[in-house]
Amino acid sequence: MSGSTKQTNFGSRLGFILASAGSAVGLGAIWKFPYMAGTNGGAVFMLPYIFFTVTVGMALLLAEFAMGRAGRSGPVGSLNNVCGKPWGIFGGIGVFTVFLILSFYSIVGGWCLKDTADAATGAGLKIAPEQLGSYFGAFVSDGVSSYLMLLLFLFITAIVVLRGIDKGVERFAKVLMPALFVLMIVLIIRGVTLPGGWEGVKFLFDFSFDKLTWMSVLNAMGFTFFSLSLGCGIMVTYGAYLKDSTDIPNSSLWIAYLAIQTALLAGLMIMPAVFAMGQDPNAGPGLVFVTIPFIFSQIPFGWFFMILFNVCLLVAALTSSVSLLEVCIAYLQNEWHMKRISASILCYVGLALLGCVSALSFGVWSEVKIFDRIIFDFLDWFCSNIMMPLGGLSIALLAGWKAWNSTYVQVNVVRKYSASANSFIKFSLRFLAPLLVLVVIATGV
């Protein structure tokens, strides 16, 4: 197997599911889902999101795992091994996408670190509620402070990944993913017991189809990609660490379920508190970093629940960043034959340099714009709307056409699935998934 190095596997099926779910869940479920549901009609956004996740999203998820396990390498090596050497370039595009994502995602991770520190010291609650927005804005525009938090967040991520798959990534996921769910449930109980909190629950589960718009459906399709970490090589990389005894369709179903469940829990964690305090559910991305601190400043024992909430954000951010960095490390190990420690240091330095550019885009470089977007926003848009969908399109077409025989074997290696199930997977990869991706790209552009 050319271009690969000896590597360890996930120690257990549970560890693999939790690590993959941690990547899929990430900060996006807590940060992005509530405000997307808030701006797209609540329940009428959730329904198409769930539908797309358990159909086309599932098909793409198992295709990435199948390609990874069949190729037994990173995104580049796996596609070369399964489809032939020229096709590895699409895996390389995925690695490049992941590197870009981690460079600006680490800035948000740094924000989570700062908010966690503020909550732990009580500094967050000492700020006047009406000044929370300006306080957060001052921090993100301070290039030095924001950049130092980015470096610390990257350092924590690198330490976890440096320990390898079984002792680092898997062990990390086994501890933090259950902890994340417990923390979220505690915060949900507090939110729904606030006076007026039940209105937030009604908002999330009020199926008023008059609120359903074509844009809500399109946003749900895009969020499916985002919430499952599809199209950027993460799941191909994790697939390479899978044992042959792991049932890919069954595991993919569990991962999709956990991704949906966490998104719903995030909505229940945030929306009741938002409604209880008379805040706007359409607040957008600032819902987590500005609106929620305001809410905690107004309720009894707010300091305690603010700490829990920020620890949730930090845990979610780290579970994603670990998976993103692992893709880059696997690429350097398999294609450049680097040792894990050397690959980790190289990635850290590269990400620190590129991350500095994005961090400064909120401050001294805020006037530098690409297509009317600051550098941070442009990278986010470019990766989410162009690169990740293109990666998903390539995987769908390769797994459904060029390497269907290999995909079929990997899907059915543990147990033989019905002809109708395999036909649906094949049809989804060949036609449904490409159509979905093209619509997402067209909408994003």
Side-chain angles (χ1 to χ4, degrees):
M1 182 167 56
S2 62
S4 64
T5 60
K6 191 178 189 316
Q7 58 190 7
T8 58
N9 293 326
F10 281 108
S12 66
R13 177 171 169 268
L14 175 63
F16 158 67
I17 290 174
L18 290 176
S20 300
S23 171
V25 169
L27 188 59
I30 299 178
W31 170 51
K32 198 168 187 177
F33 177 81
Y35 82 75
M36 289 200 72
T39 54
N40 287 279
V44 294
F45 170 80
M46 293 197 307
L47 285 178
Y49 160 63
I50 292 172
F51 172 76
F52 289 127
T53 298
V54 299
T55 53
V56 178
M58 267 282 297
L60 282 171
L61 195 60
L62 64 86
E64 293 203 21
F65 288 142
M67 298 287 273
R69 187 164 68 181
R72 288 297 182 194
S73 186
V76 176
S78 289
L79 293 188
N80 279 336
N81 293 336
V82 175
C83 303
K85 205 143 199 178
W87 299 106
I89 189 172
F90 292 105
I93 292 173
V95 175
F96 176 68
T97 302
V98 160
F99 192 81
L100 287 181
I101 292 173
L102 190 52
S103 72
F104 67 82
Y105 183 89
S106 296
I107 296 174
V108 184
W111 298 347
C112 294
L113 272 175
K114 175 64 164 58
D115 280 1
T116 303
D118 282 350
T121 60
L125 291 175
K126 294 177 182 177
I127 304 165
E130 65 274 9
Q131 294 179 348
L132 283 168
S134 58
Y135 174 78
F136 179 72
F139 167 70
V140 300
S141 62
D142 181 350
V144 175
S145 298
S146 181
Y147 186 55
L148 288 175
M149 288 294 103
L150 175 148
L151 293 178
L152 180 56
F153 181 81
L154 274 176
F155 179 76
I156 296 171
T157 302
I159 291 298
V160 174
V161 175
L162 187 59
R163 293 180 58 81
I165 282 294
D166 52 345
K167 295 180 181 179
V169 176
E170 181 176 357
R171 189 174 297 175
F172 180 80
K174 279 184 174 180
V175 173
L176 291 193
M177 283 304 292
L180 176 62
F181 286 120
V182 171
L183 291 173
M184 292 177 78
I185 290 171
V186 171
L187 288 166
I188 288 170
I189 294 172
R190 183 67 187 103
V192 298
T193 54
L194 288 171
W198 198 250
E199 293 303 314
V201 178
K202 290 180 179 178
F203 174 80
L204 285 174
F205 295 98
D206 176 20
F207 298 100
S208 300
F209 288 98
D210 58 312
K211 298 179 182 177
L212 183 64
T213 65
W214 178 237
M215 189 54 65
S216 296
V217 176
L218 291 177
N219 286 333
M221 287 194 291
F223 187 69
T224 296
F225 249 91
F226 187 88
S227 69
L228 291 178
S229 296
L230 297 171
C232 55
I234 294 174
M235 299 311 179
V236 175
T237 301
Y238 277 9
Y241 300 131
L242 270 181
K243 294 179 179 178
D244 291 332
S245 58
T246 301
D247 186 345
I248 286 180
N250 182 266
S251 298
S252 299
L253 182 61
W254 270 105
I255 293 163
Y257 167 77
L258 288 174
I260 293 171
Q261 188 67 36
T262 306
L264 293 177
L265 289 175
L268 287 171
M269 182 174 68
I270 290 176
M271 285 304 170
V274 168
F275 276 80
M277 301 307 297
Q279 297 298 298
D280 184 7
N282 300 308
L287 194 65
V288 165
F289 291 106
V290 178
T291 304
I292 292 300
F294 168 77
I295 291 170
F296 287 135
S297 70
Q298 304 296 304
I299 64 175
F301 301 103
W303 62 271
F304 175 72
F305 293 104
M306 183 178 281
I307 292 173
L308 290 186
F309 179 78
N310 283 290
V311 169
C312 275
L313 285 184
L314 183 57
V315 168
L318 285 169
T319 55
S320 283
S321 65
V322 163
S323 65
L324 290 167
L325 184 56
E326 179 59 33
V327 173
C328 301
I329 300 301
Y331 168 74
L332 293 175
Q333 282 190 290
N334 289 312
E335 303 305 317
W336 294 88
H337 308 293
M338 294 181 67
K339 293 182 179 180
R340 180 167 281 262
I341 187 170
S342 301
S344 299
I345 293 172
L346 180 61
C347 285
Y348 183 85
V349 173
L351 288 166
L353 292 174
L354 185 57
C356 180
V357 176
S358 294
L360 293 177
S361 69
F362 289 96
V364 294
W365 288 353
S366 60
E367 298 301 318
V368 178
K369 294 187 178 181
I370 306 173
F371 297 116
D372 292 326
R373 294 177 172 89
I374 63 171
I375 297 170
F376 177 96
D377 290 340
F378 171 76
L379 289 176
D380 185 13
W381 171 83
F382 180 66
C383 292
S384 299
N385 295 284
I386 305 296
M387 299 301 288
M388 288 180 71
L390 282 177
L393 178 63
S394 64
I395 287 293
L397 294 176
L398 289 174
W401 292 94
K402 177 71 175 175
W404 169 248
N405 289 338
S406 176
T407 304
Y408 177 86
V409 169
Q410 292 299 323
V411 167
N412 295 277
V413 71
V414 175
R415 76 174 196 174
K416 179 78 171 177
Y417 284 88
S418 66
S420 58
N422 282 289
S423 295
F424 174 75
I425 294 170
K426 185 177 182 180
F427 178 75
S428 295
L429 293 175
R430 289 187 170 185
F431 303 107
L432 285 182
L435 178 61
L436 167 64
V437 173
L438 289 174
V439 170
V440 170
I441 293 175
T443 304
V445 172

